[in-house]
Amino acid sequence: MSFLAWIYFKKEKIDEAQKWGQLLYNLNPRFPGIANNLAIILNQKGQYEKVEKLYQEAEQYCPNNHVVLHNLANYYCDIGNLQKEKEYYQRSYDIMPRSAYSCHKYGNFQYRNNQKEEAIKILNEGIRIDPETLENYDTLAQIAIQDNDADTAIKNLNVCIKINPEEGYYYYKLGECLQIFHRYNEAIETYRISMQKQNFQYIQITCNYNIALCYYQLKEYSNSLEEIFNTCTRQSSYHNFQTQIDSINNIINKKIVTLKKVIEIINKQQGKSIYKFNQISKAIFDKNIQALFQYKLDIFREHLQIKAYQKYIQENLTFQSQYSHFDLYLD
């Protein structure tokens, strides 16, 4: 039942997750993790009064559980109670033996609240406790970026990559770092590695678009335009692609890519990016390019109609020859 609740939660079927979580809670609310997990589910539904009560129950049954204390801190962060947030991060940090992940949580809290030196001290303590807890290096890298210390930032992110070379997320973070310090060619290469390894669609979209921005800074405008279109081929229920569409319009309308190259790039597009052609064409100044977008979209629609006909209609047709021509009837 616990697994069912969690699977439904991960699949964003929150009502179903709540059903199983509540059944489990009704059976045995004191069992470790049950109240905590139901609180997470109800938090997603905005039932905050119940959430706080459940987290407090979870704390009562497991007062030294790092996960419960972190979740309480996150809850108080979400509702803007800074004092309670600090209290629970500090309580988790104070538990002995000290946890490297709790060092990260408390150190990151200190950093977000302008206690940089204290944060660095706590994060480094976390590294000494467990050198393979990557989050401590990541936050130290973000502090170094803020301090304009490229070498320290890159060094910390490279440690993350060395510890877990198959994790694309830290290539993405390194790419962002290189981009911030104007090392655009290195950033492009690093983003591409991240895209090869990282399956999360949000990271794929961000890496692809950041590659386009790097090319733009390098004044390689046709490559930039092509990469923005490549970003638009991706599908996401959380991303509306308006930023990418505005960037396409900006490059085409500025005429910094030759008309011939623009047409070539548009003609290469397939699939998901064509769905966005109607939105793109509305803000294009050049009527010929605007017409090309509409032409490509019309052809794509006809293609989809043919595919739909073949898949859903053709096999259900019966032919009757009672007249001098064939009449088509849907069976």
Side-chain angles (χ1 to χ4, degrees), residues 282-308:
K282 288 176 181 176
I284 295 295
F285 300 153
D286 189 309
K287 296 298 181 185
N288 292 316
I289 297 178
Q290 194 178 73
L292 177 59
F293 276 117
Q294 288 300 324
Y295 173 70
K296 290 285 291 183
L297 185 57
D298 289 343
I299 289 177
F300 187 63
R301 283 171 175 157
E302 288 179 12
H303 173 74
L304 290 179
Q305 287 172 347
I306 291 168
K307 295 293 286 184

Side-chain angles (χ1 to χ4, degrees), residues 45-96:
K45 299 191 74 174
Q47 298 180 18
Y48 299 120
E49 288 185 7
K50 292 181 181 178
V51 169
E52 184 173 20
K53 179 176 176 292
L54 285 164
Y55 276 140
Q56 287 170 347
E57 284 182 28
E59 178 193 3
Q60 179 185 346
Y61 302 141
C62 303
N64 292 323
N65 185 286
H66 294 291
V67 173
V68 172
L69 295 176
H70 293 163
N71 285 345
L72 271 160
N74 291 337
Y75 168 77
Y76 286 118
C77 176
D78 289 343
I79 66 171
N81 190 331
L82 186 67
Q83 182 179 347
K84 282 284 190 181
E85 181 188 2
K86 180 180 180 180
E87 174 191 331
Y88 279 100
Y89 279 136
Q90 186 165 3
R91 277 183 53 188
S92 173
Y93 172 75
D94 287 339
I95 293 170
M96 293 296 174

